[in-house]
Amino acid sequence: MDYQNTLKYLYESVPMFQQIGSKAYKPGLETTHKLDEHFGHPHQQFKTIHIAGTNGKGSCSHTIAAVLQSAGYRVGLFTSPHLIDFRERIRINGEMVPEEYVVNFVEEHRAFFEPLHPSFFELTTAMAFRYFADQKVDVAVIEVGMGGRLDCTNIIHPDLCVITNISFDHTQYLGDTLTKIAKEKAGIIKEGVPVVIGRAKGAVKRLFTMKAKEMNAPIEYARENSREWNMEILPYSRLQEIREKTDEIIQTLSSLIEAIEEKSEEQMQQALLVPDISNSIRAIDQILDKRKDAIRINNDMFPFGLFTELSGAYQFENMFTILKALAVLTKLNYNIKPQNYFDGFANVCQLTGLMGRWQKVHSYPDIICDTGHNIDGIEYIHVQLNAIRKTFGQEIHFVFGMVNDKDIKGVLQVLPKDATYYFTKASVKRALPENELMELAEQAGLKGTAYPTVVDAVQAAKKNCPPKDLIFVGGSNFIVADLLANRDTLNLY
């Protein structure tokens, strides 16, 4: 088989949650352990970092991987779902697994795994672990597929566990309360393994604390000791202004240092700031070269600012989690220097291939896509779109679609009421029909028109949207996937 026929075989022969939902969900680790034994327990041949949570897993996984790559590690990265190409799920230092490896893996091992009837995710996880071992990675960042306790990634014994947050998603599988969902995700906490928790409060926080105590696992909460932190979203124009000011600051510092022959302790401290601001300048330049907005993070470690090219408002929460996780890894003797933070944060998309996180794909009008797909994620998007409308006067044209097993009515309630909507459906079986979605949206006070495909919807939005305004595309990973897969058709450059 060639690569395309191999993918067809995988999609049609093993149940794929991405396409059909609940029929592909297979809780329990029995099949996973059989596959793992067959492949020689490959995950034991490299270090791992395990990342769970309702939202933010992808951004956290990719950013941690980017920083580790910048520090010189050979880094495996296993994430899901993919947006365009299956191979996005399995990467080493940003490079996707070769097509030939996928083909050979299936051909060589199908006689063994076919009688087991593995799910798509079980088989993909086994492939990733075997590939990382074959390629001798130093460390692999492993994103949980769903939940944690019964997820097939949960056979690893990582150096660090991370749980980003808990909110409502996949409730039919994980439970209908936050504590039930948290209990499933807490299942990744291992005996003696440090765990970092992103956002948690009340009963959820108590559950994590008790689970960590039970497992003798050192636990840290991302927002502890972070009161002096400051974060802000910087539009491209504001980033340009900051760049000009940093030149003035570094010239002033350099002149003061050069003018003083016998330097006091305070002046020596000023001299030590020059490399830090130089790193900030380099990061700003890298982001400006990509014509992107940014988020600036200021704290004791980065007084002049750490800049990330991920500029979605929800990234504030992720940044707390990522920085706490990296601090713990440093305590575990990972060799991560401040410069690696600057390089990784400013270039996470280039280094790891991350897509679909507040990603700008067109200008005049601006077209932004994001994979947020549950109430928690959409609320952040609403807040950011509202801020853009108030600050820049841009009207919002919203290309929107969902899959049929989400909390559709709940999401519709938190969408902006003053946007113009283009209701559509993605090219997957789980997609909710566009007319049915529009009917539900009208009941929630949203107004718009239905279109049969994402391409049709985006073309209509481009036709109706003035160059000064903004088109947002989202509601589902699969809506974003259809957008990115059709960039040429839509002339998105």
Side-chain angles (χ1 to χ4, degrees):
M1 289 189 291
D2 61 13
Y3 177 63
Q4 290 303 323
N5 282 321
T6 300
L7 287 187
K8 184 179 180 183
Y9 164 80
L10 286 174
Y11 294 159
E12 294 178 356
S13 301
V14 293
M16 185 183 183
F17 188 89
Q18 183 165 341
Q19 289 287 337
I20 63 174
S22 60
K23 292 179 181 178
Y25 181 57
K26 188 179 177 184
L29 299 176
E30 182 180 351
T31 303
T32 296
H33 282 301
K34 288 179 180 178
L35 288 167
D36 185 50
E37 183 177 358
H38 172 75
F39 291 112
H41 310 291
H43 60 91
Q44 297 177 6
Q45 299 177 36
F46 47 86
K47 295 177 178 290
T48 53
I49 298 162
H50 206 189
I51 301 185
T54 304
N55 292 321
K57 297 189 298 293
S59 296
C60 290
S61 296
H62 283 79
T63 304
I64 290 169
V67 173
L68 291 172
Q69 285 173 228
S70 299
Y73 290 95
R74 183 168 172 79
V75 184
L77 178 61
F78 179 56
T79 59
S80 60
H82 64 270
L83 292 176
I84 301 173
D85 188 335
F86 163 80
R87 298 179 301 132
E88 295 166 29
R89 295 168 176 257
I90 305 170
R91 297 178 183 267
I92 296 177
N93 283 11
E95 294 295 322
M96 295 187 291
V97 58
E99 293 181 358
E100 184 181 9
Y101 189 93
V102 177
V103 172
N104 291 341
F105 179 91
V106 171
E107 287 187 342
E108 291 174 13
H109 301 289
R110 61 187 293 186
F112 171 77
F113 66 70
E114 280 182 347
L116 295 178
H117 303 291
S119 71
F120 181 86
F121 192 71
E122 286 172 331
L123 192 58
T124 302
T125 303
M127 183 189 302
F129 290 172
R130 184 65 262 167
Y131 179 62
F132 294 155
D134 289 344
Q135 297 299 310
K136 295 180 171 55
V137 301
D138 299 312
V139 59
V141 180
I142 307 297
E143 179 189 336
V144 168
M146 184 196 303
R149 180 175 64 94
L150 299 176
D151 188 79
C152 59
T153 63
N154 202 28
I155 60 172
I156 63 176
H157 191 85
D159 286 347
L160 172 67
C161 297
V162 177
I163 302 174
T164 58
N165 53 54
I166 302 296
S167 57
F168 289 106
D169 203 2
H170 302 299
T171 54
Q172 62 270 52
Y173 313 109
L174 305 179
D176 56 2
T177 69
L178 292 180
T179 50
K180 287 179 181 178
I181 296 169
K183 185 176 181 180
E184 290 300 314
K185 296 184 187 297
I188 72 166
I189 298 174
K190 304 292 191 303
E191 179 73 29
V193 175
V195 57
V196 167
I197 308 294
R199 168 165 48 96
K201 61 182 180 180
V204 168
K205 186 173 183 178
R206 289 193 295 274
L207 187 149
F208 286 141
T209 300
M210 291 173 61
K211 180 66 174 180
K213 184 177 181 180
E214 175 191 335
M215 303 301 292
N216 298 307
I219 186 169
E220 295 198 40
Y221 288 91
R223 293 194 179 225
E224 288 179 353
N225 305 316
S226 59
R227 290 182 181 177
E228 304 302 319
W229 290 31
N230 181 53
M231 296 190 203
E232 61 178 323
I233 297 173
L234 302 173
Y236 180 78
S237 57
R238 174 73 177 125
L239 197 60
Q240 288 178 308
E241 294 173 6
I242 291 171
R243 177 63 178 87
E244 293 171 4
K245 289 181 180 178
T246 53
D247 271 346
E248 297 173 8
I249 293 170
I250 199 166
Q251 287 174 4
T252 302
L253 279 173
S254 298
S255 298
L256 283 171
I257 293 163
E258 289 173 4
I260 302 169
E261 293 182 4
E262 293 185 8
K263 300 178 178 62
S264 67
E265 184 176 343
E266 182 180 348
Q267 290 158 348
M268 286 302 295
Q269 289 295 322
Q270 288 184 322
L272 292 172
L273 291 176
V274 175
D276 181 71
I277 197 170
S278 297
N279 282 328
S280 294
I281 289 172
R282 188 177 72 255
I284 292 170
D285 285 342
Q286 290 168 342
I287 296 171
L288 286 173
D289 285 346
K290 292 175 273 195
R291 302 194 65 81
K292 288 189 172 186
D293 301 339
I295 288 177
R296 176 171 61 182
I297 304 138
N298 289 95
N299 59 16
D300 291 343
M301 187 174 179
F302 304 105
F304 285 104
L306 175 65
F307 296 83
T308 175
E309 65 175 331
L310 303 180
S311 58
Y314 53 84
Q315 297 295 353
F316 285 12
E317 181 177 305
N318 292 335
M319 292 304 120
F320 284 110
T321 307
I322 293 162
L323 288 169
K324 181 68 75 172
L326 291 170
V328 173
L329 290 174
T330 301
K331 292 178 187 176
L332 296 173
N333 295 319
Y334 279 71
N335 186 20
I336 307 170
K337 297 180 171 60
Q339 181 178 334
N340 308 137
Y341 285 73
F342 287 102
D343 292 340
F345 277 62
N347 300 288
V348 58
C349 296
Q350 178 183 337
L351 289 170
T352 67
L354 179 63
M355 297 184 289
R357 272 56 172 196
W358 202 261
Q359 180 178 352
K360 185 176 179 180
V361 295
H362 191 265
S363 298
Y364 307 108
D366 290 340
I367 301 180
I368 292 171
C369 65
D370 193 275
T371 56
H373 58 271
N374 51 38
I375 292 174
D376 196 40
I378 295 294
E379 282 181 332
Y380 275 107
I381 289 168
H382 181 178
V383 168
Q384 190 159 5
L385 290 175
N386 194 45
I388 288 170
R389 189 173 62 81
K390 288 182 176 179
T391 304
F392 301 106
Q394 290 179 292
E395 295 301 319
I396 308 301
H397 293 249
F398 205 130
V399 176
F400 180 72
M402 293 189 72
V403 290
N404 57 22
D405 55 358
K406 297 294 181 182
D407 182 3
I408 296 161
K409 290 183 178 180
V411 168
L412 290 171
Q413 288 297 327
V414 300
L415 287 171
K417 296 289 192 288
D418 51 2
T420 300
Y421 284 89
Y422 305 77
F423 302 107
T424 188
K425 68 175 183 295
S427 56
V428 295
K429 294 177 182 178
R430 292 166 62 202
L432 183 70
E434 68 278 11
N435 289 311
E436 186 177 338
L437 176 61
M438 184 173 69
E439 184 177 333
L440 292 170
E442 287 173 349
Q443 295 172 16
L446 308 178
K447 297 179 180 179
T449 308
Y451 298 87
T453 69
V454 173
V455 169
D456 291 331
V458 173
Q459 286 175 333
K462 287 178 71 178
K463 183 178 179 181
N464 295 337
C465 183
K468 68 178 182 64
D469 289 336
L470 182 146
I471 299 170
F472 181 85
V473 183
S476 164
N477 283 292
F478 312 114
I479 295 292
V480 173
D482 282 1
L483 173 76
L484 296 177
N486 289 282
R487 292 184 73 165
D488 289 343
T489 302
L490 293 165
N491 295 315
L492 302 180
Y493 301 107

